Amino acid sequence: MADNLVSLQVKQSGHVAEVTLLGPGKGNAMGPDFWRELPVVFRELDADPDIRAIVLTGSGKHFSYGLDLPAMMTEWGGMLGGTALAGARTEFLAKIRTMQDSVTAVADCRKPVIAAVSGWCVGGGVDLIAAADIRLASADAKFSVREVRVAMVADIGSLQRLGGIVGEGHLRELAYTGKDVDAARAEKIGLVNDVYADQDALLAAAHELAASIAKNPPLVVQGVKDVLDHQRAPRVADGLRYVSTWNAAFLPSKDLGEAVQAFLERRDPEFSGE
């Protein structure tokens, strides 16, 4: 397994791997280390013949607060400026597609991935669990496709993958409003399969499910996943390419700057549509 991981921890029990988000941002927020390490970890797990199923979870009380906005805005720098020209926007397009590829590495992993969600799962966290095969939650879990509330079009996979999970109507409601959804509602709309009393019960159930998958012929399980993904994967890839191009062209805005400033100042943003 990859050495010197900062944002992820990997443990193995039998034929099941547990991948835990570590942050290092508050609430396991997804900064540059996360986007770099996630595909490395999942490609290594994909290639490991001893691994047959994966449990994906978060450290502490929360799955993930989503994108580590201050850290990523620092990295993006002038790429989002209102006067950014073709060179800067092309560089930003490449950044988006690299982040998309990181999450797609989870979807492309031939081993079934079970996301075990406690506490908050926001923005990029929802992108991540949408790339998993199965989602479970504890009763305290809360979900939000939050990007619209910070003047962004979600571009890492939620808009492409959630329709097949919760249906178009529920996806549009989540994406247009950025509303928070509790575990009971998430179960009702099919975002999660089951809800458990607490985090300990959730992880136990996730590992039990992973172990039951791991008992089956591994190549057959991988074949089932391949067949299920055959029609979806090209559609998702096309959608990801489109939204990355759209955001490279239109994401820079006064509203985005206002959203970032409001976030840093811990106040509600005032959007002008500019």
Side-chain angles (χ1 to χ4, degrees), residues 187-266:
E187 184 179 23
K188 184 175 182 179
I189 67 176
L191 180 57
V192 300
N193 287 20
D194 292 291
V195 176
Y196 298 88
D198 54 36
Q199 191 175 42
D200 289 342
L202 166 68
L203 286 173
H207 277 276
E208 182 178 357
L209 178 57
S212 70
I213 293 170
K215 289 180 181 178
N216 290 325
L219 296 182
V220 173
V221 172
Q222 292 172 33
V224 170
K225 179 168 182 175
D226 183 52
V227 171
L228 289 172
D229 287 344
H230 175 67
Q231 291 183 319
R232 184 183 70 167
R235 175 179 53 80
V236 169
D238 183 64
L240 289 172
R241 187 170 183 83
Y242 181 82
V243 73
S244 64
T245 305
W246 197 98
N247 266 355
F250 298 116
L251 183 62
S253 67
K254 288 185 178 180
D255 280 346
L256 176 61
E258 166 63 8
V260 174
Q261 194 63 32
F263 174 83
L264 296 174
E265 295 174 1
R266 298 183 180 277

Side-chain angles (χ1 to χ4, degrees), residues 26-59:
K26 184 179 179 181
N28 304 319
M30 300 168 168
D33 290 320
F34 170 83
W35 300 106
R36 182 179 65 255
E37 293 175 355
L38 184 69
V40 173
V41 166
F42 272 85
R43 286 165 188 157
E44 288 191 11
L45 292 173
D46 176 82
D48 187 343
D50 200 38
I51 299 299
R52 299 183 180 182
I54 301 165
V55 173
L56 175 63
T57 192
S59 61

Side-chain angles (χ1 to χ4, degrees), residues 17-261:
E18 181 181 282
V19 178
T20 304
L21 280 61
L22 301 178
K26 184 179 179 181
N28 304 319
M30 300 168 168
D33 290 320
F34 170 83
W35 300 106
R36 182 179 65 255
E37 293 175 355
L38 184 69
V40 173
V41 166
F42 272 85
R43 286 165 188 157
E44 288 191 11
L45 292 173
D46 176 82
D48 187 343
D50 200 38
I51 299 299
R52 299 183 180 182
I54 301 165
V55 173
L56 175 63
T57 192
S59 61
K61 296 180 179 180
H62 301 287
F63 184 80
S64 178
Y65 286 174
L67 189 70
D68 188 340
L69 195 56
M72 297 307 296
M73 293 301 287
T74 298
E75 183 175 90
W76 292 336
M79 288 181 277
L80 291 178
T83 60
L85 297 178
R89 290 173 187 264
T90 300
E91 187 178 359
F92 184 57
L93 175 63
K95 290 284 188 183
I96 296 172
R97 289 181 175 172
T98 297
M99 294 166 69
Q100 291 177 338
D101 290 345
S102 294
V103 171
T104 296
V106 177
D108 285 350
C109 181
R110 291 173 296 171
K111 320 302 171 64
V113 180
I114 301 164
V117 181
S118 293
W120 281 105
C121 179
V122 176
V126 178
D127 290 316
L128 181 57
I129 67 168
D133 296 272
I134 299 166
R135 288 148 296 279
L136 307 176
S138 57
D140 68 340
K142 293 182 180 180
F143 305 84
S144 178
V145 183
R146 187 69 61 89
E147 285 85 349
V148 69
R149 289 166 59 181
V150 290
M152 294 181 178
V153 174
D155 58 8
I156 311 297
S158 290
L159 301 186
Q160 290 72 35
R161 295 186 174 101
L162 283 181
I165 297 169
V166 303
E168 282 290 320
H170 291 306
L171 168 57
R172 289 172 185 265
E173 180 180 350
L174 295 173
Y176 292 159
T177 65
K179 69 193 295 184
D180 302 335
V181 174
D182 64 17
R185 179 66 177 168
E187 184 179 23
K188 184 175 182 179
I189 67 176
L191 180 57
V192 300
N193 287 20
D194 292 291
V195 176
Y196 298 88
D198 54 36
Q199 191 175 42
D200 289 342
L202 166 68
L203 286 173
H207 277 276
E208 182 178 357
L209 178 57
S212 70
I213 293 170
K215 289 180 181 178
N216 290 325
L219 296 182
V220 173
V221 172
Q222 292 172 33
V224 170
K225 179 168 182 175
D226 183 52
V227 171
L228 289 172
D229 287 344
H230 175 67
Q231 291 183 319
R232 184 183 70 167
R235 175 179 53 80
V236 169
D238 183 64
L240 289 172
R241 187 170 183 83
Y242 181 82
V243 73
S244 64
T245 305
W246 197 98
N247 266 355
F250 298 116
L251 183 62
S253 67
K254 288 185 178 180
D255 280 346
L256 176 61
E258 166 63 8
V260 174
Q261 194 63 32

